[in-house]
Each structure stands twice: as structure tokens, then as C-alpha cells.
Amino acid sequence: MSFTPGPWRDRGNRIVDKDENEVMDCEGCNVWPFKKAEDRQLMVAAPELLEALKVASEILEDELGPTEQLLQPEYIRGIKSAIAKAEGREP
């Protein structure tokens, strides 16, 4: 799955990538699709959050031994599930 790499920026009626290419445009929309500003902020941060989650997953797998991984499976499953969902895969 390929998505527009981050970072993304909020430019009022559109969201753009680092090169100012549009990721989402609402020019001429009567209503912006986000009802809360916080939802819009989360979308803008999504590429960086996904990358941070991938790094955290690698660190956990590298640093935790097999026994420690078994003791904290909900964290590891949660991270892997969120990454899969963001990449359009079922966890």
C-alpha cells in the first residue's frame, strides 16, 4: 500500500505534503469533512504517527526477549494491529 509520505501540513482549506502537493482538498466545499479541529490535526499527523509506531514496534521486538514479549502481548498486538489497519491490511 502506498500513501503520500509525511509530513503533512494544514493549509486552511487543504492538507498538503512536504512539497506542497495536495493530499486533501476541500476548495469549494460548503462544509469541511472534519467536525472537530482535533480530528483534522490527527489526520495531518498520521504519516508521522505511523512511522513512529513502526520504529517503536522494531525496538520492542529487538529489545524485549521472548519471555518479556509474552508478558506484554497486548501492547505488541495493539501496535501491529494499528500498523496493519493504517496500511489497509487486516491485523
Side-chain angles (χ1 to χ4, degrees):
M1 174 177 202
S2 177
F3 60 89
T4 305
W8 294 353
R9 292 184 175 71
D10 186 347
R11 295 288 189 244
N13 62 349
R14 55 196 187 106
I15 294 174
V16 299
D17 68 10
K18 64 183 175 70
D19 297 320
E20 296 294 317
N21 297 308
E22 289 182 348
V23 174
M24 183 175 183
D25 180 13
C26 201
E27 188 78 41
C29 295
N30 291 330
V31 178
W32 188 254
F34 301 105
K35 302 216 183 288
K36 295 181 179 179
E38 293 86 357
D39 295 338
R40 188 171 168 166
Q41 293 164 351
L42 181 61
M43 181 180 169
V44 170
E48 293 162 274
L49 290 169
L50 178 58
E51 186 58 34
L53 207 51
K54 287 179 177 181
V55 170
S57 177
E58 289 177 16
I59 290 170
L60 280 173
E61 288 180 349
D62 290 345
E63 297 297 321
L64 295 179
T67 303
E68 291 168 309
Q69 288 181 25
L70 290 174
L71 295 175
Q72 299 183 21
E74 68 277 4
Y75 300 121
I76 295 169
R77 275 196 308 268
I79 288 171
K80 290 188 178 297
S81 174
I83 292 169
K85 185 183 276 188
E87 293 178 340
R89 298 180 284 115
E90 289 298 318

